[in-house]
Amino acid sequence: MKILVINCGSSSLKYQLLDMEGEKLLAKGLCERIGIDGHLTHKPQNGRPVFNEDVPMPTHTEAIAAVLDKLTSPEYGVVESMSEIGAVGHRVVHGGEKFACSVLIDDAVMDALAECIPLAPLHNPANITGINACKAVMGENVPQVGVFDTAFHQTMPGKAFMYPIPYSYYTDLKVRRYGFHGTSHRYVSKRAAEMMGKPIEELKLISCHMGNGSSICAIDGGKSVDTSMGFTPIAGLPMGTRCGDIDVSILEYLSANTGKDIKELTNILNKMSGVLGVSGVSSDFRDLDTAAAQGNERAKLALDMFHYAVAKTVGGYVAAMNGVDGIIFTAGIGENSAETRAEICKYLKYLGVEICPECNKKRGEDTFISTPDSKVKVMVIPTNEELVIARDTRDIVEAL
Ligand code: AMP
């Protein structure tokens, strides 16, 4: 079965077409500036040329139509016709408490997605738009599946997901920790168990997804038991531009002293904070590494704060699970920055973590970076959220 994986943003749409026989990537691409003018980058994986041109995209429907046109075109295509595409899998950011696993999208699911809009006002409307656009272009008969960023974390116990605020805010307004990056944490933890040669049910794992957005997840017996992002993705670690955990009273204090309202300040905490805010240099860790190497003290401080926050969270999750067998690094920073991994692991020596500097230099492959004697195994596993979405979609559609 060939499956189209869609990740829809408010003005963008990323896609991959996978052949599930051999789990082979056939094509991938990106629509940008939807609703503004429109640009499509389409990369077939069969040797045909890349398409990289402006294409009018007043709405997501034209974007999907453009993608399908390229996927089936004689010059840039990878399939003969749209009928070869058996199903579509959508990344959906927020499933609230309604979705603990991936689901076939029907009218009831669409209603439930709409109910989750207040929890993810920027993301869920775009996901809903993407689903409707696929229906409009591909027809109602092509099955569509929703795979949720939050679903993996629905196994967290109350002591981990509740905030210590009046209980009615949970019951009436659904304020709780949801966690994000669930598809990534699920993928890398499963892969880690395979690499370690043990059933995941017997393992305590800590997954560190460190990219533009970063979150850590404690996975006990294959189930998420705690994670660092919260009600929204701003919580937990300092990130590229997000502040992570800060004292909530700072908002009132800043509002009183800057005249900015909560909306403006929240925007600053989301988009101008984190390592960008501290360093004043960049949200990109490559730029911070360069600046720190040139003696920029604030860049060094931002990096130190990040390493320290990751290590403290990992330490907390060791306590939460009463032990740890394996630690995983993934996403842009986790997969590429040997230095970041080494700095974080320096804090974890007390656990018996020993890093092999040679193995830590490897890139782009699933690998152990701990020594054979290390009490806790440390792994780098490139994440593959699209593959998880495609696998879930196939499993659900094959069971129909
Ligand atoms: P992601 O959100 O997973 O795509 O990760 C993107 C981030 O990964 C970038 O903003 C960089 O901060 C980081 N990154 C990518 N390559 C490197 C590298 N070689 N060294 C350090 N950080 C990197």
Side-chain angles (χ1 to χ4, degrees):
M1 184 189 298
K2 295 186 179 101
I3 291 174
L4 182 61
V5 175
I6 301 277
N7 182 353
C8 224
S10 54
S11 68
S12 68
L13 185 157
K14 277 191 229 158
Y15 64 93
Q16 288 194 1
L17 183 68
L18 288 108
D19 187 346
M20 296 314 283
E21 243 170 71
E23 298 189 331
K24 203 166 148 250
L25 178 68
L26 299 177
K28 62 179 176 179
L30 171 67
C31 301
E32 293 167 283
R33 299 175 61 83
I34 301 168
I36 306 163
D37 39 24
H39 188 91
L40 172 62
T41 313
H42 168 77
K43 297 180 178 170
Q45 306 292 301
N46 57 359
R48 291 192 171 163
V50 170
F51 177 90
N52 187 9
E53 285 179 32
D54 290 345
V55 176
M57 296 173 187
T59 72
H60 286 73
T61 305
E62 288 82 11
I64 291 279
V67 169
L68 287 164
D69 179 59
K70 286 295 159 284
L71 286 171
T72 54
S73 100
E75 196 179 351
Y76 304 100
V78 291
V79 288
E80 297 273 308
S81 81
M82 205 160 80
S83 62
E84 284 183 49
I85 301 172
V88 185
H90 293 268
R91 177 194 178 211
V92 183
V93 170
H94 218 307
E97 288 190 328
K98 291 179 190 297
F99 300 105
C101 59
S102 305
V103 289
L104 183 72
I105 295 170
D106 57 17
D107 290 344
V109 170
M110 289 304 273
D111 290 344
L113 290 183
E115 279 175 42
C116 292
I117 288 177
L119 298 173
L122 295 181
H123 292 106
N124 271 33
N127 299 145
I128 292 169
T129 305
I131 295 165
N132 284 328
C134 284
K135 273 191 203 166
V137 178
M138 302 177 80
E140 297 276 342
N141 289 334
V142 178
Q144 302 201 50
V145 166
V147 180
F148 302 88
D149 268 20
T150 49
F152 183 60
H153 301 300
Q154 280 296 303
T155 46
M156 283 190 291
K159 65 184 176 185
F161 76 68
M162 284 298 291
Y163 288 118
I165 57 176
Y167 196 77
S168 59
Y169 292 146
Y170 168 57
T171 48
D172 299 353
L173 293 170
K174 304 185 174 73
V175 177
R176 53 159 286 175
R177 181 188 304 281
Y178 289 100
F180 299 87
H181 293 144
T183 314
S184 174
H185 292 303
R186 175 152 68 102
Y187 173 78
V188 296
S189 56
K190 184 164 176 270
R191 196 57 210 109
E194 286 165 8
M195 287 169 70
M196 293 170 78
K198 290 198 175 143
I200 197 163
E201 293 75 18
E202 293 173 13
L203 289 172
K204 297 174 198 286
L205 299 168
I206 297 176
S207 157
C208 306
H209 179 113
M210 309 188 306
N212 227 342
S214 296
S215 73
I216 306 195
C217 184
I219 302 152
D220 197 348
K223 293 190 164 67
S224 169
V225 292
D226 208 343
T227 192
S228 59
M229 283 180 169
F231 179 63
T232 71
I234 202 175
L237 306 168
M239 308 177 209
T241 62
R242 296 186 195 127
C243 60
D245 289 345
I246 61 166
D247 182 335
V248 292
S249 301
I250 291 171
L251 269 179
E252 189 189 3
Y253 178 82
L254 287 180
S255 183
N257 285 281
T258 63
K260 292 184 165 59
D261 63 18
I262 296 234
K263 216 170 169 185
E264 279 177 277
L265 288 169
T266 304
N267 194 43
I268 289 171
L269 296 179
N270 264 305
K271 301 204 174 129
M272 293 162 70
S273 300
V275 295
L276 168 67
V278 173
S279 69
V281 171
S282 172
S283 62
D284 192 310
F285 278 59
R286 287 163 288 199
D287 300 334
L288 295 178
D289 286 340
T290 309
Q294 289 165 351
N296 184 313
E297 286 299 325
R298 276 170 54 190
K300 187 169 174 331
L301 174 64
L303 290 169
D304 285 348
M305 287 169 69
F306 181 77
H307 305 148
Y308 180 63
V310 173
K312 275 205 305 186
T313 310
V314 169
Y317 289 169
V318 175
M321 295 192 289
N322 201 359
V324 62
D325 301 300
I327 297 170
I328 307 150
F329 289 112
T330 191
I333 304 161
E335 291 166 26
N336 294 303
S337 178
E339 237 166 85
T340 302
R341 297 191 296 256
E343 287 299 322
I344 292 166
C345 289
K346 276 187 196 164
Y347 285 101
L348 305 176
K349 283 199 176 141
Y350 77 100
L351 291 172
V353 166
E354 276 184 55
I355 296 299
C356 157
E358 272 311 301
C359 310
N360 192 27
K361 284 183 192 155
K362 286 190 202 158
R363 260 175 130 157
E365 55 182 303
D366 296 349
T367 185
F368 286 98
I369 60 165
S370 48
T371 63
D373 292 339
S374 180
K375 260 172 67 186
V376 177
K377 303 293 168 217
V378 184
M379 290 150 276
V380 175
I381 303 177
T383 194
N384 196 339
E385 288 157 285
E386 289 80 9
L387 183 57
V388 178
I389 295 172
R391 282 177 181 166
D392 280 9
T393 304
R394 173 201 55 203
D395 293 348
I396 286 173
V397 171
E398 280 183 355
L400 287 177

